[in-house]
Amino acid sequence: NAGVTQTPKFQVLKTGQSMTLQCAQDMNHEYMSWYRQDPGMGLRLIHYSVGAGITDQGEVPNGYNVSRSTTEDFPLRLLSAAPSQTSVYFCASSPRTNYEQYFGPGTRLTVT
Amino acid sequence: SQQGEEDPQALSIQEGENATMNCSYKTSINNLQWYRQNSGRGLVHLILIRSNEREKHSGRLRVTLDTSKKSSSLLITASRAADTASYFCATDMNSGYSTLTFGKGTMLLVSP
């Protein structure tokens, strides 16, 4: 199993550009989440999904969209990038509620 | 908002010594988890302790949970240089879904 994969590893965007961060898992996990990690801030939840077709907002959802058309994939879309979205983004999956989460390697995004 | 807060923010010890990190949280939880993050990498799950458990062991790791004080501690015995990493506690706040709230982490440096 590849576990949780994320692409790209690094990305530089200009303010106003849009892009999609990809996340896929091959463990048949129902639950998937997106976090952002900023220096000194820990991880903050952006959006999460409890199954295909079901998504919900986390702590910091503004400026991001998600969809979950399949169990395997959970892409995160930046609608109009802003410098405040410069961060490291992590995708995670979990087999069920109250269980450990498996994290991807992260995408380092810089918005200039 | 941060649910868990780790203490200390940074810890520097010699190989062979024990390392203790603490986590305090604010609201009732289903479980508390500890994760490790090596520099530039994704988070790796270490241990999960449920709200009805008081202590749990995994190899050189010992976790305690005191729900009356809303606190947990992670003890790493006989530390090795490879234990150098950031350690995060994460709480599942009885939301019904597998979303975690992370603290800001403790950065552990183990010197040879």
Side-chain angles (χ1 to χ4, degrees):
Chain A
N1 287 350
V4 180
T5 58
Q6 292 184 238
T7 56
K9 285 187 168 49
F10 302 94
Q11 182 71 48
V12 179
L13 291 178
K14 294 188 188 305
T15 297
Q17 288 184 317
S18 62
M19 79 159 295
T20 299
L21 279 62
Q22 300 292 343
C23 174
Q25 52 92 9
D26 61 0
M27 297 173 283
N28 201 33
H29 286 173
E30 289 294 322
Y31 298 91
M32 296 187 74
S33 307
W34 276 102
Y35 297 88
R36 59 177 289 173
Q37 185 177 33
D38 302 294
M41 294 292 293
L43 277 80
R44 291 181 292 171
L45 182 65
I46 304 172
H47 285 285
Y48 66 97
S49 170
V50 300
I54 306 170
T55 63
D56 206 348
Q57 297 180 351
E59 182 185 354
V60 288
N62 291 342
Y64 308 95
N65 270 356
V66 292
S67 60
R68 185 97 180 270
S69 56
T70 67
T71 300
E72 295 77 20
D73 300 300
F74 191 42
L76 177 72
R77 281 182 288 278
L78 278 70
L79 309 173
S80 177
S84 61
Q85 293 178 304
T86 293
S87 187
V88 182
Y89 291 84
F90 289 99
C91 178
S93 73
S94 181
R96 57 183 69 94
T97 188
N98 300 332
Y99 266 60
E100 67 180 88
Q101 297 206 1
Y102 296 77
F103 281 81
T107 293
R108 187 174 295 272
L109 176 69
T110 301
V111 183
T112 61
Chain B
S1 61
Q2 305 294 141
Q3 159 76 325
E5 292 289 339
E6 292 90 345
D7 171 64
Q9 289 186 315
L11 181 60
S12 183
I13 60 174
Q14 300 288 319
E15 263 191 332
E17 295 180 338
N18 294 342
T20 299
M21 287 156 269
N22 302 297
C23 171
S24 59
Y25 57 92
K26 298 173 185 172
T27 62
S28 62
I29 59 172
N30 283 322
N31 65 62
L32 186 143
Q33 304 180 32
W34 285 91
Y35 287 80
R36 183 187 74 231
Q37 183 180 35
N38 292 93
S39 180
R41 309 289 289 273
L43 278 74
V44 174
H45 180 265
L46 295 176
I47 198 164
L48 180 153
I49 186 165
R50 300 198 184 283
S51 59
N52 61 354
E53 296 175 311
R54 292 297 168 258
E55 187 170 313
K56 205 161 183 180
H57 295 256
S58 177
R60 294 184 294 113
L61 305 181
R62 172 179 171 254
V63 169
T64 62
L65 178 65
D66 186 336
T67 53
S68 67
K69 295 181 179 178
K70 292 187 171 58
S71 68
S72 173
S73 68
L74 170 68
L75 169 67
I76 304 174
T77 60
S79 296
R80 306 165 181 167
D83 294 327
T84 293
S86 291
Y87 292 81
F88 295 87
C89 69
T91 51
D92 181 320
M93 288 191 292
N94 197 23
S95 68
Y97 298 125
S98 186
T99 62
L100 298 179
T101 303
F102 286 83
K104 297 180 182 179
T106 292
M107 193 176 303
L108 173 66
L109 174 62
V110 183
S111 301

